[in-house]
Amino acid sequence: MRRLRRRTRGLRTRLVLTFALVSLISAVTATALAYREARSAVLERAQDAIQTDFRNRVGEVAADMVMPPGQSTLDRFTEDVSQRISAARPNGSLVVAHYRDLRATSDTLADRTRITPELRATVRETGRMSFQRVTWRGEAFLVVGTPVAFDDGRTSELDVFTIASLRNEEEDISELLATVRAGLVPVVLLAAVLALLAAATVLRPVRELSRATRQLAAGDLSIRVAVKGRDELAELADSFNHTADSLQASVAELRDQEERARRFVADVSHELRTPLAAMTMMSTVLDEDADQLPPDSAKAARTVSAETAQLSRLVQDLIEISRFDAKAARLNLTETDLGEAIRSALARRGWTDEVRTDLSQAVQASVDRRRIDVVVANLVGNALRHGAPPVDVVLRATGDEITVEVSDHGPGMSPDSLARVFDRFYKSDTSRTRSEGSGLGTAIALENARLHDGTIEAANRPDGGATFTLRLPRHPARGAR
């Protein structure tokens, strides 16, 4: 039903309906104009023929008429004119004559006709033939009136009228209208077929562009569309291809730059490992002997030891990040008691007394224990450094999902920090250029969670403080990578 609704609202349907509607309006308009012109032509032709024939018949009969006429003469006059008209016109017509107070008609039906006073006055005042079309009882009639004039120029007071039915003409016009109406349906159907063909021609390249756009959005930067013709759609297809070329070139350049930067970081980090190992060993010796040195020298030795340790952690984090970027990180899955693994991680760093734990539920899962240790250490370390005690670690398992929740009771995080907390080298306190952390801890923790087909979510507690929730499946779908 939804697909049908989309189709009825689609561009093809609208094009077909618009094309058919325009064709229908054009056909109806043309039909109306043709009907009006045809009706006028038919009626005018009939009107001219009736007037000419009436003038001739009246002239023929009036030539032998004795003036002034009496009633009998007037009756014979109307009968003769009517007979002559009937001989030429199958339907015949009624003839009515007026002379002063005398009135004669060729048929008693004249009592049912309507010769308007306006027409009689026009004929009498102008002295010329006049006509009027009237409708009586649903039928059209042509009423023609003319004064009788003699060849010697004598004028008379005799006015003659004929009343001719236009039934045949109206029937011809009705048949014409019916024929034209019957032709509208094929015209509209033909218009619909032409609209379908036109819509298919227009929409085919549009569909190709739409499909190509979806593939481009999905990451297929090699997709292109064929450019056919020189119309606007061809220009659109050509613009799409140019855009795709530019995008592909830009993405390729960015990927190349990213790869070079990744190799640079990895190479530098690996090159620093050996001298850092030596520096760490020497700083450890100096730190152990710091108590035997003068105060200033002891302070310098401890500073060198601390800075060397931080630099070593930074290099280790960079190496770890480079492994994730190079897709070289692998899982070493073992069936692990997560509660025991978390206790061990806290104990190894001396955090047992600083962290409250709820690890009563026995949870077994297939995980890489070293990486889970790194995740817990990063999350708990952040809570201890940036939050406020107490810090709580809660382990829960529901169905196929395991959650480890690390929360503190500090001020929480700002909206900007929540949005960027997993970004590399991000530090919430930007006013401090130096800090104990490298800014890579949460990013490494998230990468380790993703390696297990899991994730980490950050949020603020309703009653204050921040919460980081690690979500893991009991059995990662990817297995060891």
Side-chain angles (χ1 to χ4, degrees), residues 283 286-287 290 293-308:
S283 63
L286 288 174
D287 194 28
L293 298 174
D296 291 340
S297 299
K299 182 179 179 181
R302 292 189 180 96
T303 300
V304 169
S305 178
E307 292 297 327
T308 302

Side-chain angles (χ1 to χ4, degrees), residues 3 53 71 87 101-102 119 145 150 169 176 191 197 203 223 246 288 297 310 329 338 357 417 460 478 480:
R3 182 179 298 177
D53 184 64
Q71 183 64 50
D101 295 333
L102 299 179
L119 181 61
F150 296 95
E169 287 74 13
L176 175 63
L197 295 176
L203 294 180
I223 188 66
S246 300
E288 291 175 351
S297 299
Q310 184 170 349
L338 287 181
T357 60
S417 295
N460 285 325
R478 302 175 190 173

Side-chain angles (χ1 to χ4, degrees), residues 96-207:
V96 179
H98 290 271
Y99 180 75
R100 295 181 181 176
D101 295 333
L102 299 179
R103 179 177 181 277
T105 178
S106 63
D107 198 300
T108 56
L109 291 175
D111 294 337
R112 303 202 320 250
T113 61
R114 300 286 180 89
I115 301 175
T116 63
E118 292 81 3
L119 181 61
R120 290 189 60 185
T122 301
V123 171
R124 176 80 350 232
E125 292 172 1
T126 62
R128 296 196 303 269
M129 178 179 286
S130 300
F131 68 91
Q132 186 179 38
R133 285 200 291 263
V134 298
T135 302
W136 187 53
R137 294 184 177 179
E139 187 174 346
F141 291 89
L142 180 68
V143 182
V144 182
T146 182
V148 176
F150 296 95
D151 293 339
D152 56 5
R154 291 181 294 119
T155 58
S156 69
E157 298 179 49
L158 177 60
D159 297 331
V160 187
F161 299 87
T162 183
I163 304 165
S165 174
L166 298 176
R167 180 186 304 168
N168 290 343
E169 287 74 13
E170 291 290 344
E171 288 177 353
D172 292 341
I173 294 172
S174 298
E175 290 178 1
L176 175 63
L177 180 60
T179 302
V180 173
R181 283 177 177 171
L184 286 178
V185 175
V187 169
V188 173
L189 291 178
L190 178 60
V193 172
L194 293 176
L196 284 172
L197 295 176
T201 303
V202 172
L203 294 180
R204 187 179 298 110
V206 173
R207 285 195 299 269

